[in-house]
Amino acid sequence: MAKQTRAWQRMLSGRRLDLLDPTPVDIEIEDIAHGLAFVARWNGQTQGDYPYSVAEHSLLVEALFSRMEPKATPSDKLNALLHDAPEYVIGDMISPVKAAVGPGYGALDDRLTAAIHIRFGLPAQTPVKLKKKIKKADTVSAWMEAVQIAGFSIGEADKIFGRPDAALIEGLDIHLRPPVEVRRDFTARHAELLKEMS
């Protein structure tokens, strides 16, 4: 009889997260914040002494989304903060790699997203209209990251991501920080939004 391949990961919280069948009871924000603070965006190809983490990116996306959607509810903002949360266990794959991996990656991402959302009182699936708005903020974030830390020229970033409105990004600069600081800020923002939702 063939040995079954392990499909779960032990989290620092002690939880055992089954990647094929994740459940909300195995989701902890501290695990998400810790994992995302150590996952590098841009495959680590960014300037500076620290990687630009998915946690830092998520904070920026939520800040941009909140500026773009001033009437957004706390739950909408939490959706934005958690838009890349599954990457705490599956990592951040650049789009060309996701395309090469195929539909299996998307299915895994969807299962994890549903468990994470249910854990924190959100609908299992982000409504399409909201998802599109968060994606717009995500694209603005990508432009900022590209020109500020990933070595793109403004012209190159404009072609790929489209240039954002200058007023939208005013005062939002990317500063690379130690993972412990980013983890703390991600967890704190999550707590603030949960409090606003209650």
Side-chain angles (χ1 to χ4, degrees):
M1 190 163 86
K3 184 179 176 185
Q4 188 174 4
T5 304
R6 179 172 65 91
W8 56 268
Q9 180 175 347
R10 176 74 62 197
M11 297 293 147
L12 289 178
S13 65
R15 299 285 189 189
R16 190 170 96 163
L17 182 66
D18 184 337
L19 299 178
L20 299 180
D21 187 22
T23 62
V25 296
D26 291 322
I27 305 293
E28 298 292 346
I29 193 59
E30 292 80 9
D31 292 332
I32 293 172
H34 182 83
L36 294 182
F38 283 91
V39 175
R41 295 251 310 155
W42 302 91
N43 281 344
Q45 298 301 305
T46 52
Q47 301 159 355
D49 294 330
Y50 297 102
Y52 183 68
S53 72
V54 175
E56 192 81 80
H57 162 78
S58 298
L59 287 163
L60 179 58
V61 169
E62 192 266 321
L64 287 163
F65 172 78
S66 295
R67 285 184 176 194
M68 295 165 78
E69 301 295 330
K71 294 183 180 177
T73 66
S75 63
D76 291 345
K77 294 175 185 181
L78 185 59
N79 257 287
L81 182 69
L82 297 174
H83 79 284
D84 280 338
E87 294 179 8
Y88 86 109
V89 286
I90 59 177
D92 179 38
M93 289 191 208
I94 59 173
S95 296
V97 175
K98 287 179 186 175
V101 170
Y105 178 88
L108 178 58
D109 187 91
D110 290 345
R111 285 193 299 272
L112 285 164
T113 296
I116 292 164
H117 281 195
I118 291 168
R119 170 67 175 86
F120 300 117
L122 299 172
Q125 292 184 333
T126 304
V128 174
K129 193 173 179 181
L130 176 58
K131 196 169 191 172
K132 286 181 180 177
K133 290 176 180 180
I134 293 169
K135 184 62 182 172
K136 285 182 182 179
D138 190 46
T139 302
V140 173
S141 176
W143 183 93
M144 291 176 65
E145 295 163 23
V147 299
Q148 290 186 30
I149 58 170
F152 286 58
S153 70
I154 289 175
E156 189 177 22
D158 287 352
K159 284 181 189 173
I160 297 169
F161 305 108
R163 184 176 298 201
D165 181 356
L168 174 64
I169 62 174
E170 186 178 352
L172 292 176
D173 293 315
I174 295 170
H175 302 284
L176 302 183
R177 304 183 289 158
V180 66
E181 292 180 18
V182 182
R183 180 180 66 203
R184 180 198 63 221
D185 289 354
F186 184 94
T187 306
R189 184 60 181 147
H190 178 267
E192 287 171 9
L193 291 171
L194 279 185
K195 189 174 181 181
E196 289 176 25
M197 285 170 60
S198 58

